[in-house]
């Protein structure tokens, strides 16, 4: 397409010009809620131009309801007691993306909440954590890896089936299969092309172990851009699949028969003044600088307190069990995929740490904010990590302080009681997010599972 390109947009004036140049009557504007669900609307061009200058308003109920549009009854920020007023938002011009599925040059822009809602906004939280890092002299970089299952199903068919006997895209355990990726190459090529067009480029795409499961590794970028890429990837992978009569799920675990779906995070810091890696030091053990050692220590120490941000659903905790490639304690190791934190020795360009705890259902902005925030806290307080784990972390006894909460309720209590969380994220966010996780657990407790019926109906 000739003329201005979406990813070249940097300012409000650029955004106005590209919309005018394309003769668009409307654009799409979206934001991400507490659960990482993308919400938004079509906005008339004239209204959009006004929003670029002055912001726009959106009902704050989108921060006050759950993933089923049910209203939280236990949050202070918004509710019947406030009357669900409008909250201000600011368009982010530089987030401009092509929407290839909608044709005619249609554009998508992201928006951030401002004012008191900005204290709750997940993207805003990540921005605040990154600003803290900049004040300490660091720029943070990240990349996200997601596992997701594809099914030969539709939103209607999965409900008609009661989410049972679902048909995966392909059968059997076929990790890294060249057979599968070649037979279904058109699908792979479509997803790869979409990732380039919408600027969440996929660095690697392959089958994982399980029927119809893929893993996509997104390219590294500065951490805020990495959050945008992760959140847009999850949303528009689902859109892409459904437009082709398929469904993609990012549940942490959809079946007890297969490993859960991870959302691993690769992180590094660079020194703002020198541009060098803050993690790489050639003559230190594992090439880990003091800063990286303190960063890992902060992540390790705060992992039990921050778990709700990485494992935010009831379903998340079905993944965190031994033997299924998911960490069960706040451990770290060097090139060890059985630990929660995997230090990857490398060069100035590649020395990093992989936060392996997160599941695919986590909100990318919150997971990045928590993983980076914990590391910065470790640097600030010069924390020291425990000894690195050598061998299979699942088979070793770990100290009590490394134990992770076993339920979402317990994780919410640990977050609420965390002084570090309040220092990093603010009281308003901690209170709000913890309350939403308590709500999620209370909603679950109202239901009777198939397991309970099978277990107790006749015999007890």
């Amino acid at each position: 397409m000739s003329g201005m390109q979406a990813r070249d947009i940097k300012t409000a004036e650029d955004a106005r010009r590209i919309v005018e140049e394309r003769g668009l009557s409307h654009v799409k504007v979206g934001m991400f809620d507490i659960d990482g669900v993308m919400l938004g609307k079509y906005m008339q061009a004239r209204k959009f131009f006004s929003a670029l200058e002055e912001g726009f308003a959106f009902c704050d109920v989108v921060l006050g309801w759950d993933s089923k549009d049910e209203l939280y009854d236990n949050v202070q920020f918004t509710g019947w007691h406030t009357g669900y007023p409008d909250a201000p938002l600011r368009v982010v011009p530089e987030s401009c993306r092509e929407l290839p599925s909608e044709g005619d040059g249609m554009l998508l822009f992201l928006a951030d909440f401002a004012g008191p809602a900005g204290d709750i906004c997940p993207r805003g939280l990540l921005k605040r954590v990154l600003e803290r890092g900049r004040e300490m002299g660091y720029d943070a970089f990240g990349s996200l890896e997601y596992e997701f299952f594809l099914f030969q199903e539709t939103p209607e068919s999965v409900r008609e089936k009661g989410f049972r006997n679902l048909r995966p895209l392909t059968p059997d355990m076929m990790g890294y299969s060249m057979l599968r990726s070649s037979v279904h190459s058109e699908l792979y090529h479509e997803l790869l092309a979409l990732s380039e067009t919408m600027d969440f480029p996929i660095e690697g795409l392959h089958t994982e172990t399980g029927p119809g499961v893929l893993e996509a590794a997104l390219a590294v970028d500065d951490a805020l851009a990495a959050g945008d890429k992760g959140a847009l990837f999850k949303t528009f992978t689902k859109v892409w699949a459904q437009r082709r009569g398929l469904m993609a799920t990012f549940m942490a675990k959809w079946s007890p028969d297969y490993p859960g779906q991870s959302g691993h995070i690769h992180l590094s810091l660079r020194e703002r003044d020198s541009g060098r890696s803050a993690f790489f030091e050639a003559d230190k053990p594992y090439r880990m600088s003091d800063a990286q050692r303190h960063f890992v220590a902060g992540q390790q120490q705060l992992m039990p307190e921050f778990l709700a941000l990485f494992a935010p659903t009831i379903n998340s905790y079905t993944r965190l069990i031994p033997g299924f490639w998911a960490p069960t304690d706040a451990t770290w190791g060097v090139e060890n995929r059985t630990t929660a934190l995997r230090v990857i020795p490398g060069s100035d360009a590649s020395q990093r740490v992989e936060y392996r705890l997160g599941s695919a259902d986590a909100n990318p902005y919150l997971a990045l904010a928590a993983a980076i925030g914990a590391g910065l806290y470790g640097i600030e307080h010069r924390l020291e990590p425990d000894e690195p784990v050598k061998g299979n972390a699942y088979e070793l006894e770990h100290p009590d302080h490394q134990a992770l909460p076993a339920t979402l309720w317990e994780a919410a209590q640990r977050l609420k009681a965390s002084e570090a969380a309040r220092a990093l994220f603010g009281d308003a966010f901690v209170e709000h997010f913890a309350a939403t996780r308590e709500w999620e657990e209370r909603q679950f407790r109202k239901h009777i599972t198939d397991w309970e019926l099978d277990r107790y109906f006749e015999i007890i």
Side-chain angles (χ1 to χ4, degrees):
M1 182 180 292
S2 61
M4 301 181 75
Q5 300 300 305
R7 297 307 290 138
D8 293 333
I9 302 308
K10 301 297 181 214
T11 66
E13 181 55 32
D14 290 342
R16 171 189 279 273
R17 281 179 54 214
I18 193 172
V19 172
E20 289 177 336
E21 185 180 279
R22 296 190 179 192
L24 297 176
S25 65
H26 294 76
V27 297
K28 227 167 188 175
V29 180
M31 76 288 293
F32 290 90
D33 74 2
I34 290 294
D35 287 297
V37 175
M38 193 174 195
L39 307 168
K41 60 184 176 182
Y42 291 99
M43 186 180 287
Q44 191 180 52
R46 188 172 66 250
K47 169 74 172 172
F48 177 69
F49 296 153
S50 169
L52 283 170
E53 301 301 327
E54 302 166 14
F56 67 102
F58 209 95
C59 179
D60 75 2
V61 73
V62 297
L63 296 175
W65 65 20
D66 66 13
S67 57
K68 282 286 194 181
D69 288 10
E70 292 188 41
L71 302 170
Y72 298 127
D73 64 3
N74 60 337
V75 298
Q76 293 304 307
F77 165 71
T78 191
W80 293 119
H81 62 287
T82 66
Y84 292 108
D86 280 348
L89 287 102
R90 182 189 71 88
V91 176
V92 182
E94 64 273 22
S95 69
C96 181
R97 258 87 175 175
E98 304 282 354
L99 272 179
S101 62
E102 303 199 18
D104 296 325
M106 178 57 77
L107 296 170
L108 170 71
F109 291 85
L110 301 183
D112 285 334
F113 283 95
D119 294 336
I120 309 287
C121 174
R123 192 174 189 272
L125 179 70
L126 177 56
K127 286 166 66 177
R128 293 199 302 278
V129 168
L130 297 179
E131 180 57 34
R132 186 188 193 96
R134 281 191 290 273
E135 290 170 358
M136 292 170 61
Y138 302 112
D139 286 321
F141 293 83
S143 65
L144 294 155
E145 295 176 352
Y146 285 111
E147 295 170 353
F148 60 100
F149 276 82
L150 284 172
F151 294 90
Q152 297 182 55
E153 303 286 352
T154 67
E156 293 74 28
S157 72
V158 292
R159 287 163 173 81
E160 288 165 3
K161 290 182 173 185
F163 296 91
R164 295 180 183 85
N165 302 314
L166 304 181
R167 187 178 182 188
L169 175 66
T170 54
D172 218 340
M173 313 292 257
M174 303 280 280
Y176 296 99
S177 172
M178 195 62 78
L179 177 65
R180 291 284 185 256
S181 65
S182 300
V183 170
H184 295 278
S185 59
E186 290 87 355
L187 279 176
Y188 284 72
H189 283 241
E190 285 181 9
L191 183 56
L192 292 170
L194 177 69
S195 80
E196 295 291 333
T197 302
M198 291 195 68
D199 192 27
F200 43 78
I202 294 172
E203 212 170 59
L205 180 65
H206 62 85
T207 60
E208 257 293 349
T209 295
V213 61
L214 302 183
E215 178 174 329
L218 306 185
V220 66
D221 208 331
D222 75 79
L224 182 60
D228 290 341
K229 290 173 195 289
L232 289 166
F233 168 78
K234 288 178 66 175
T235 301
F236 284 93
T237 295
K238 291 180 223 177
V239 171
W240 161 79
Q242 290 189 30
R243 287 175 64 87
R244 281 146 190 79
L246 304 172
M247 286 195 78
T249 183
F250 289 82
M251 279 183 72
K253 199 165 187 182
W254 75 273
S255 166
D257 299 327
Y258 310 113
Q261 299 181 101
S262 63
H264 296 161
I265 309 169
H266 291 253
L267 293 170
S268 63
L269 297 181
R270 301 197 79 79
E271 295 173 353
R272 301 201 77 205
D273 55 0
S274 70
R276 291 195 304 262
S277 168
F279 282 1
F280 176 73
E281 201 159 327
D283 57 356
K284 289 281 183 75
Y286 317 120
R287 302 177 193 160
M288 287 176 73
S289 68
D290 291 344
Q292 186 177 25
R293 194 178 73 253
H294 297 319
F295 190 90
V296 169
Q299 291 184 317
Q300 179 179 40
Q301 182 171 309
L302 296 178
M303 193 177 290
E305 297 173 29
F306 289 6
L307 181 63
L309 294 155
F310 299 100
T313 71
I314 296 294
N315 184 246
S316 304
Y317 295 80
T318 64
R319 173 179 162 265
L320 300 176
I321 56 176
F324 274 94
W325 288 98
T328 51
D329 294 273
T331 53
W332 79 281
V334 180
E335 277 294 11
N336 189 334
R337 284 184 167 87
T338 68
T339 55
L341 297 164
R342 170 186 167 227
V343 168
I344 303 171
S347 63
D348 178 87
S350 63
Q351 181 89 12
R352 63 194 188 276
V353 59
E354 180 187 20
Y355 205 107
R356 294 181 55 81
L357 182 75
S359 53
D361 60 359
N363 182 328
Y365 296 111
L366 299 186
L368 282 164
I372 295 167
L376 294 174
Y377 185 90
I379 293 175
E380 278 188 291
H381 294 83
R382 302 185 69 79
L383 301 180
E384 293 293 336
D386 296 334
E387 285 299 306
V389 170
K390 292 181 169 64
N392 186 350
Y394 302 131
E395 293 181 344
L396 302 173
E397 287 283 327
H398 301 291
D400 290 345
H401 68 262
Q402 292 182 5
L404 298 174
T407 66
L408 183 58
W409 185 271
E410 184 188 345
Q413 307 317 303
R414 292 295 297 274
L415 183 68
K416 270 203 300 193
S418 171
E419 292 180 10
R422 291 177 183 274
L424 285 165
F425 311 138
D427 290 333
F429 175 82
V430 171
E431 292 290 341
H432 185 83
F433 186 76
T436 68
R437 298 312 97 186
E438 290 173 346
W439 159 272
E440 194 78 7
E441 179 99 13
R442 285 190 289 115
Q443 294 302 97
F444 176 66
R445 287 183 201 165
K446 296 176 183 176
H447 292 273
I448 312 301
T449 65
D450 291 350
W451 185 89
E452 290 167 276
L453 290 168
D454 177 72
R455 187 88 167 178
Y456 305 126
F457 187 92
E458 179 181 9
I459 201 69
I460 207 73

